Amino acid sequence: MNKNTQQTAEFKYKSVMLTPSMAKELLAHNTHNRKVIQSRVNVWAESMKRGEWQFNGQPIVIAKDGTILDGQHRLLACVQSGATIPVLIIIGVEQDAQDTMDTGKARTLSDVLSLRGEKNATNLAALLTGLVKSEKYMLSAAFNGGSNYPVTNGECLEYLRQHPEVRDTVNIVKPASKNAYISQKCMGVLYTKFQEAGADYADDFLYKLSSGEGLLDGDPILTLRSTLKRIHDSVHGKPNYVFVAAIIIKTWNAFVNGKQLKILKYQLGGNKETFPVIEVPFETRFGGEES
C-alpha cells in the first residue's frame, strides 16, 4: 500500500491507494451521514472502473471516533467498482465539523464544458449524456432520467472528441424542439439516429416537424405535431420522454415508408409495449422505389 502519513496538532492525514476491502472497513463506521444518492455512486463507480478517476486532493474525512464525516459516496463507489483508487484521508476531525461539509454545488458535465469554452454547454451536456446512454445501454435509456444507466463525464467528453458534429446538432434541432414542444436533448438524440438511418430523410423530417408546412390530413408528421401539442398543454411542458421518443420514432417509421398515420399511441406500464426500432427508408433497404 502506497502511504504517506503526516500529523498536525489536531489530526492526521495520509494519501493511500484505497482498495475495496479498505473502503468496506471504513464504511463499517458510517453511522452518522446523509442519505446515500445511488445515482452518484453509480456514476463514480463507473468512472473508477473505466480508470477515469483522478486524485484531486478532496479528502475522505473521519472523526476522532472513526465515524465517516465526508466521503461515503466515494467509498461506496470504490466497493461497487472493485477498483483501487488514490485518495487523501484525514483522521481526527471534530464531529460537528460535518455541518460545514459539502455545502457547495457539485461540478456537472455542463460546468466542465463551460470551463472548456464550449457554447450552449447545458444543452450540449444533456445531448451528450443521452447519446452516450443510447450507445452504451439501449436507445430508450437516453430518455430515462433514472439512476440505472450511469455515464461519466469522461465518456461524454470522449464521445464529443469522436463526434464533434454534436455541437452543430444542438443548434440544428433547436427550431423543431421549440415549435414541436420537444426537449433539445430528445430531438437531438433522435435526429442523430435518424441521420444514421437516412440523412436526407432526417433533414426533411426535421424541417417539416418544425415548420408544419405542406402537411395534409393523415400525414404522420401532422399527427405528431398535434399529439405533442396536446401533451404539452396537458402536462405543462413536463412529459414522459420515453413516451415522447417512442411516438416520434413511430412517426419516423411511417414517414420513411410513405404511410399515413392518424393516431399515435404507445403503451407505458401495465402491458408495456416494446420500445420501437428506428427503420431505414425503403429504398435504402431495397435499393429502389416500391413498385
Side-chain angles (χ1 to χ4, degrees), residues 98-161:
Q98 191 176 41
D99 296 341
T100 65
M101 296 176 185
D102 284 338
T103 57
K105 178 178 176 289
R107 184 166 294 177
T108 64
L109 176 59
S110 177
D111 295 330
V112 173
L113 292 170
S114 292
L115 289 169
R116 291 181 172 216
E118 295 286 352
K119 298 178 181 178
N120 302 313
T122 299
N123 287 321
L124 179 59
L127 178 53
L128 286 168
T129 301
L131 288 168
V132 172
K133 282 186 177 184
S134 73
E135 292 204 350
K136 186 176 181 180
Y137 302 105
M138 63 189 97
L139 180 54
S140 61
F143 316 105
N144 191 313
S147 62
N148 294 328
Y149 306 107
V151 298
T152 69
N153 287 356
E155 288 176 289
C156 293
L157 294 172
E158 177 60 19
Y159 188 97
L160 181 61
R161 187 188 70 78

Side-chain angles (χ1 to χ4, degrees), residues 17-31:
M17 294 302 295
L18 183 72
T19 66
S21 61
M22 291 167 59
K24 281 184 181 179
E25 186 177 342
L26 290 171
L27 284 166
H29 302 282
N30 190 29
T31 58

Side-chain angles (χ1 to χ4, degrees), residues 172-189:
I172 290 171
V173 302
K174 187 175 181 179
S177 171
K178 179 181 178 181
N179 297 338
Y181 308 102
I182 311 166
S183 73
Q184 283 187 249
K185 172 184 176 180
C186 180
M187 194 67 256
V189 170

Side-chain angles (χ1 to χ4, degrees), residues 31-99:
T31 58
H32 188 267
N33 222 319
R34 57 183 172 166
K35 183 178 179 181
V36 171
I37 303 172
Q38 188 58 45
S39 59
R40 181 177 299 174
V41 175
N42 291 345
V43 171
W44 288 358
E46 191 69 15
S47 177
M48 291 172 188
K49 281 193 292 187
R50 288 172 51 83
E52 296 172 353
W53 192 263
Q54 294 184 358
F55 180 82
N56 61 8
Q58 184 177 359
I60 291 172
V61 183
I62 300 174
K64 291 179 179 179
D65 64 358
T67 303
I68 296 172
L69 301 181
D70 189 33
Q72 66 170 342
H73 289 87
R74 280 166 284 164
L75 292 170
L76 288 166
C78 178
V79 173
Q80 182 171 311
S81 69
T84 296
I85 60 169
V87 298
L88 177 66
I89 297 179
I90 295 179
I91 304 170
V93 177
E94 295 293 339
Q95 182 78 44
D96 57 9
Q98 191 176 41
D99 296 341

Side-chain angles (χ1 to χ4, degrees), residues 138-140 143 190 194 242-253 264-268 272-279:
M138 63 189 97
L139 180 54
S140 61
F143 316 105
L190 291 178
F194 294 162
V242 173
F243 176 86
V244 169
I247 64 172
I248 295 174
I249 293 172
K250 286 188 172 187
T251 303
W252 164 267
N253 291 343
L264 270 170
K265 297 187 295 183
Y266 178 70
Q267 182 65 44
L268 282 172
K272 187 176 180 180
E273 187 177 345
T274 301
F275 194 77
V277 175
I278 295 172
E279 297 180 7

